[in-house]
Amino acid sequence: MAKIAALGAYVYQAVLALGLLLVVSNRLPSAEFTAYSLFVSIVQFTAIACFEWIRFACSRFYPGPDAQSEASERGTIAYEFLACCGFCGLGALIAWLCGVPAPVAGLGAVAAVVQGGSEIHLTMLRFRHAFRLFSWMQALRASLMAAGTLAGAWAGPDFAHVLAGMIAGYLAYVFVAVLVSRGGFGAPMRRSREAMRKHLAYGGISAGASVAAMLAPLGLKAIFTAVLGGQGAAAPLLALDLLQRPFVLIVSAIYAIRYPTLVQLFDRDSGSGAFRRELGRYYVLLAGFSMMGAAAVLSLLAFATALLIAPDLRASFLRIAPLITLTALARALVQTLLPTAAHLQRRLAAIALLAVFDSALMCLGALVATGLLGASDVAISAGATVGALIALAGGLVLLRLLPFELPRLPLVSALLALVAAWVVSIWLGGNAVMAAVAGLAATLLISLPALPRMLRWLAH
């Protein structure tokens, strides 16, 4: 039940974030929303650049086999976090010297620190198998962030007010997290140089891969903005922010629930049948639910666009949304499924090369398509999709690093559901309601033979 609660927390966070993004996009003028979207992306990038290596190290080495190793890992993680806060502040100072307004630079640094710190804290809770507390804190963070951002948007429909509300939500979460976590981690913590060396070696490369992966959406946003202008880029940026969220939800939830068990089995006996079965099921859960999610998104696109997207953004949004959905699906699998074996075996070069390969091909595809097909939102989106699919196909070679037993029925069902939803969305594109109903029905009907089995694996 605790794992199901953790899954529910991810669903709640994703739904809340989706609603928040829609409200803000309708509340702010296009140029102000573009500034907000770029700020959020830069904060996420900064948090990953400064703190993601600690989170990766935590997911591989924390808590360790006994209480002594847990205290050592925890102390080392705390020391590393404080050191990286200083680097984050230095980055804000450099941004100010380069012309960024001091309040924006300073508040951006605060947001990045809280974002990175909260991710590390939540990761520690998951790998201690404290899924119930993790669920509460995950949901609380999403709620406070949404409340603060909405309060800022309603106080004034501009970027400054939204930024102030967002920071208020971040600080409220920090206050609650400190109260809840006091004395909740057992023995006094202590720093270990040996643990720090391991963290730097593994976490540094893994975080570098995450930074490279984050460059792809940032680069694509920059391409859209440079080619189409702030006004013209509003709909593509909204599509990028919105349509990646279902896939982030799916892969993050599965990773949070199943990956700790996978690490334990690998460390115990990587050649056992139990590990091969668990790895194959993990792959199937990631790929199967991601494709089913893409099928549901494609089915609902026309209806949701008419209902939720601001009128001046609808035409452009609907033109590129199917391509952005396919791009988000491919990148979710490249970032989570393909490097799994490399993370378990600590093959650092493979992890880094895959991330660079993915980001470079996505942005290069967008630039090449713009040169060949002209400066349009569809050309940029199509080029990015082709680049992402090439990266996915090329990265499949990493699956050969570790043996696994792959159940085929769920994958076949999910792929057929995705194809059916795409066909229905094209065939009934003129009738949004019929396209949604028929697409969702086809997705459910085709997925039904495999869905109960996949849900049992997820909750096991």
Side-chain angles (χ1 to χ4, degrees), residues 173-193:
Y173 174 79
V174 170
F175 177 75
V176 176
V178 170
L179 290 179
V180 168
S181 298
R182 289 176 65 185
F185 279 91
M189 58 187 183
R190 56 183 184 176
R191 179 163 56 97
S192 165
R193 290 186 178 180

Side-chain angles (χ1 to χ4, degrees), residues 48-73:
I48 287 174
C50 292
F51 303 104
E52 189 75 352
W53 70 277
I54 307 175
R55 190 187 70 80
F56 269 110
C58 178
S59 69
R60 190 63 186 87
F61 301 112
Y62 182 84
D66 51 41
Q68 183 177 359
S69 65
E70 190 278 335
S72 175
E73 289 288 339

Side-chain angles (χ1 to χ4, degrees), residues 248-267:
V248 171
L249 160 67
I250 292 167
V251 298
S252 297
I254 295 170
Y255 174 86
I257 294 171
R258 300 308 312 163
Y259 191 70
T261 302
L262 196 63
V263 170
Q264 290 177 352
L265 288 172
F266 177 81
D267 289 342

Side-chain angles (χ1 to χ4, degrees), residues 82-380:
L82 291 175
C84 288
C85 287
F87 286 112
C88 200
L90 181 62
L93 178 61
I94 293 172
W96 174 62
L97 293 175
C98 292
V100 176
V104 174
L107 294 177
V110 171
V113 167
V114 178
Q115 178 71 26
S118 64
E119 287 295 336
I120 294 168
H121 178 240
L122 292 172
T123 300
M124 294 174 75
L125 292 177
R126 283 196 293 108
F127 279 81
R128 287 171 58 91
H129 293 274
F131 287 108
R132 195 172 301 279
L133 179 57
F134 164 80
S135 305
W136 280 107
M137 297 305 295
Q138 178 99 334
L140 178 68
R141 183 179 66 169
S143 300
L144 291 175
M145 278 294 302
T149 304
L150 286 175
W154 251 256
D158 55 56
F159 171 62
H161 283 87
V162 171
L163 176 58
M166 183 190 307
I167 297 301
Y170 271 127
L171 294 179
Y173 174 79
V174 170
F175 177 75
V176 176
V178 170
L179 290 179
V180 168
S181 298
R182 289 176 65 185
F185 279 91
M189 58 187 183
R190 56 183 184 176
R191 179 163 56 97
S192 165
R193 290 186 178 180
E194 177 61 29
M196 191 176 298
R197 281 194 292 268
K198 291 191 302 181
H199 292 185
L200 284 169
Y202 174 75
I205 296 296
S206 300
S210 291
V211 170
M214 275 296 294
L215 288 175
L218 276 175
L220 195 55
K221 286 184 176 184
I223 293 170
F224 274 121
T225 304
V227 172
L228 305 177
Q231 186 80 18
L237 265 59
L238 177 60
L240 283 170
D241 289 337
L242 276 179
L243 297 175
Q244 70 176 341
R245 290 181 184 273
F247 304 101
V248 171
L249 160 67
I250 292 167
V251 298
S252 297
I254 295 170
Y255 174 86
I257 294 171
R258 300 308 312 163
Y259 191 70
T261 302
L262 196 63
V263 170
Q264 290 177 352
L265 288 172
F266 177 81
D267 289 342
R268 188 183 307 154
D269 185 2
S270 61
S272 67
F275 172 74
R276 291 196 302 271
R277 285 190 297 274
E278 180 65 23
L279 183 58
R281 289 175 179 179
Y282 181 70
Y283 287 159
V284 165
L285 289 172
L286 286 172
F289 277 120
S290 294
M291 287 190 285
M292 291 175 189
V297 169
L298 289 173
S299 301
L300 291 168
L301 270 180
F303 179 74
T305 300
L307 187 66
L308 301 172
I309 304 301
D312 57 327
L313 303 180
R314 285 175 190 166
S316 177
F317 184 92
L318 199 54
R319 278 197 306 270
I320 64 171
L323 293 169
I324 298 296
T325 300
L326 195 56
T327 303
L329 169 63
R331 298 203 72 240
L333 298 180
V334 169
Q335 293 174 49
T336 54
L337 189 154
L338 296 185
T340 299
H343 277 291
L344 291 171
Q345 295 181 319
R346 304 180 205 173
R347 292 179 179 260
L348 305 181
I351 295 169
L353 286 173
L354 178 64
V356 172
F357 184 61
D358 170 44
S359 296
L361 282 175
M362 180 175 161
C363 292
L364 183 62
L367 291 172
V368 170
T370 303
L372 294 176
L373 304 176
S376 70
D377 50 7
V378 175
I380 298 172

Side-chain angles (χ1 to χ4, degrees), residues 370-429:
T370 303
L372 294 176
L373 304 176
S376 70
D377 50 7
V378 175
I380 298 172
S381 303
T385 302
V386 172
L389 291 175
I390 293 173
L392 175 62
L396 290 174
V397 68
L398 293 181
L399 298 182
R400 302 177 62 183
L401 292 176
L402 283 173
F404 56 91
E405 298 176 9
L406 189 71
R408 290 178 173 79
L409 175 61
L411 286 181
V412 173
S413 296
L415 182 59
L416 290 176
L418 176 60
V419 172
W422 193 295
V423 170
V424 168
S425 68
I426 295 173
W427 181 34
L428 298 175

